Amino acid sequence: RVAEADFSARTGIAGRDEIADIARAFDVMTASLGETREQLARALEAAHMYAWTFDVTSQILVFRRPADRLASRRGGESMSQQAFLERVHPDDRAPFEAAWRGTVASGEPFRVEYRAADGRGGWRWFASRGSRQGRDGAGRTLKLAGLAWDITETKQAQLELARHRDHLEKLVSERTAELQRANQELEAFSYSAS
């Protein structure tokens, strides 16, 4: 059962011999693994992060916690790489795929920001980081794993800040032009007065 991530499994072996000691150590270890897994799940939930794995051979992407915002589905879902890419905004697909291919080919870290369909006709921004987790005997990547998180509010704030910056730059340009005209008029008046 532990192989299926059921950490409630216990050996049920009692006694005072070496086998019983090993069984008790195994029981403690599986309980600890279960607690660690629960802590990680709570931390991911609190951080609004989505853990994912990608099997390069089958081209299947699996989300390990509820990924309703990212995949418009509930957790534990899997989908083909192509199905996932169809959810990525058309303007973001090429950079997303380039980062993905780079990680698969060379093992370089996967780092990308992209928009994904939210399932309600809109788009949400995500950041994702990942790395190669397994290679075959020839060194080819077998599996990727990583995290993704929603950065929509951050992107919206950045866009709003850019709008304000552009507006301020326009105001500064207009004011500078007004000052230049006023200086020219003042110089012309000063020249004619002398």
Side-chain angles (χ1 to χ4, degrees), residues 13-24:
I13 297 174
R16 297 179 188 259
D17 61 1
E18 187 175 347
I19 300 240
D21 290 343
I22 292 170
R24 278 190 295 280

Side-chain angles (χ1 to χ4, degrees), residues 5-166:
D6 178 0
F7 297 109
S8 66
R10 299 294 179 265
T11 61
I13 297 174
R16 297 179 188 259
D17 61 1
E18 187 175 347
I19 300 240
D21 290 343
I22 292 170
R24 278 190 295 280
F26 178 82
D27 290 347
V28 168
M29 179 188 68
T30 56
S32 178
L33 283 172
E35 289 171 17
T36 300
R37 182 183 176 132
E38 287 301 314
Q39 288 172 346
L40 177 59
R42 285 191 301 272
L44 289 172
E45 189 68 35
H48 304 287
M49 297 180 109
Y50 309 101
W52 54 263
T53 57
F54 177 67
D55 183 299
V56 175
T57 305
S58 67
Q59 298 285 295
I60 297 294
L61 182 65
V62 178
F63 294 97
R64 297 293 182 202
R65 78 167 276 276
D68 53 329
R69 279 186 168 169
L70 182 59
S72 301
R73 299 179 181 186
R74 288 288 164 202
E77 294 294 325
S78 63
M79 66 180 75
S80 71
Q81 180 186 22
Q82 187 58 43
F84 179 78
L85 286 173
E86 289 171 6
R87 296 175 189 274
V88 173
H89 191 282
D91 294 343
D92 300 334
R93 283 183 193 147
F96 185 96
E97 287 183 282
W100 197 264
R101 282 192 304 273
T103 301
V104 170
S106 70
E108 66 190 45
F110 178 73
R111 301 175 67 92
V112 69
E113 292 182 356
Y114 59 95
R115 288 163 287 182
D118 66 5
R120 297 180 300 267
W123 300 97
R124 296 202 60 87
W125 277 96
F126 290 88
S128 188
R129 306 289 184 266
S131 62
R132 176 168 53 191
Q133 299 297 305
R135 292 185 281 180
D136 65 12
R140 291 182 297 259
T141 301
L142 295 174
K143 185 177 184 181
L144 303 178
L147 297 170
W149 59 97
D150 190 323
I151 60 169
T152 303
E153 287 77 18
T154 300
K155 283 293 188 179
Q156 289 171 339
Q158 289 171 343
L159 291 171
E160 185 66 21
L161 185 60
R163 279 192 291 273
H164 287 294
R165 183 195 66 232
D166 293 345

Side-chain angles (χ1 to χ4, degrees), residues 173-187:
S173 291
E174 289 171 358
R175 183 69 178 135
T176 301
E178 288 173 16
L179 287 172
Q180 287 174 341
R181 279 192 301 275
N183 280 338
Q184 289 171 349
E185 290 173 8
L186 185 59
E187 285 175 7

